[in-house]
Amino acid sequence: MNIEHKRQGQMDIAMCYFYTDTIYEFKHLLNDDVLKMICINSWKYLVDHNLVKIYGYVIMPNHIHQLWKMLSVNGKESPAGSFAKFTAHQFKKVLAVNDPLLLQQYRSSKSDRAFQFWKRDPLAVPLTSEKNLLQKLDYIHNNPVREKWQLADVPENYRWSSAGFYTGKPDEFGILTHFAD
């Protein structure tokens, strides 16, 4: 994929992470577009409240990847903690109404929660250079077209990714910042 470059100086890579969060037991909870929108809406809140900048993302059936920079905490929570907490509460609400049987698959026996949607300990890898960021951006954009998934014919045709944005399409959800801005 050819990423459109917009050069305006050197990117500030500090506090920028390649972040991966996975659905508990690798279940394909995020096949549902309503649940994907919960992720988008959570990111939108974090972006609109200047808590993060998102440079790239993909929502896959059982995990998410994003390239983001933490700007501020959300009260006492990190933006990643806020994302996981908000999305889990919303998943529970939606499933309680639309698919109570599916909701029961996420029931937890842990004392600190009734349900668990995300695996514990998401992966957060600090990015050390623009080259490193571009490698990760290419990786997440190509995820939907990999043989294992076959969710799109080309990366930019997968709606639930930032790939189209980097080929000149509009940012449908208003959550992205070009990495070179």
Side-chain angles (χ1 to χ4, degrees), residues 5-181:
H5 287 278
K6 299 188 319 189
R7 273 279 162 240
Q8 293 184 357
Q10 196 68 355
M11 179 188 176
D12 177 14
I13 202 81
M15 299 301 292
C16 191
Y17 292 89
F18 170 65
Y19 179 85
T20 300
D21 213 344
T22 304
I23 297 297
Y24 187 67
E25 295 182 343
F26 300 95
K27 294 178 181 173
H28 287 208
L29 180 66
L30 297 173
N31 274 334
D32 185 333
D33 289 355
V34 171
L35 301 180
K36 287 183 191 93
M37 278 307 300
I38 290 171
C39 294
I40 296 289
N41 290 335
S42 182
W43 289 333
K44 179 91 171 121
Y45 174 88
L46 295 170
V47 167
D48 289 350
H49 287 84
N50 296 312
L51 302 172
V52 299
K53 282 189 178 183
I54 298 175
Y55 301 111
Y57 70 92
V58 66
I59 303 173
M60 299 298 290
N62 67 357
H63 66 283
I64 61 164
H65 294 296
Q66 67 212 50
L67 301 175
W68 65 352
K69 179 183 227 175
M70 309 293 164
L71 301 175
S72 182
V73 295
N74 187 21
K76 294 181 181 181
E77 292 179 326
S78 71
S82 292
F83 171 82
K85 184 177 176 181
F86 174 82
T87 55
H89 285 292
Q90 294 302 308
F91 293 165
K92 180 183 170 192
K93 283 182 185 178
V94 168
L95 293 177
V97 171
N98 297 340
D99 198 340
L101 289 176
L102 181 59
L103 176 61
Q104 293 312 308
Q105 292 181 27
Y106 294 92
R107 187 162 288 287
S108 175
S109 60
K110 295 176 180 144
S111 61
D112 65 339
R113 66 193 64 214
F115 297 92
Q116 183 169 351
F117 296 97
W118 297 106
K119 282 179 57 177
R120 293 261 179 153
D121 300 321
L123 177 68
V125 177
L127 299 174
T128 57
S129 67
E130 187 174 306
K131 178 182 177 186
N132 188 227
L133 180 140
L134 287 169
Q135 289 170 336
K136 297 299 187 191
L137 197 58
D138 188 53
Y139 172 80
I140 68 174
H141 288 165
N142 283 301
N143 215 347
V145 299
R146 286 191 168 82
E147 187 175 339
K148 174 182 180 176
W149 298 107
Q150 298 179 7
L151 299 172
D153 55 343
V154 293
E156 57 270 24
N157 287 346
Y158 186 62
R159 180 182 184 203
W160 306 102
S161 159
S162 55
F165 174 74
Y166 282 101
T167 60
K169 293 181 181 178
D171 173 11
E172 177 182 357
F173 305 114
I175 61 173
L176 291 166
T177 297
H178 194 287
F179 72 87
D181 286 346

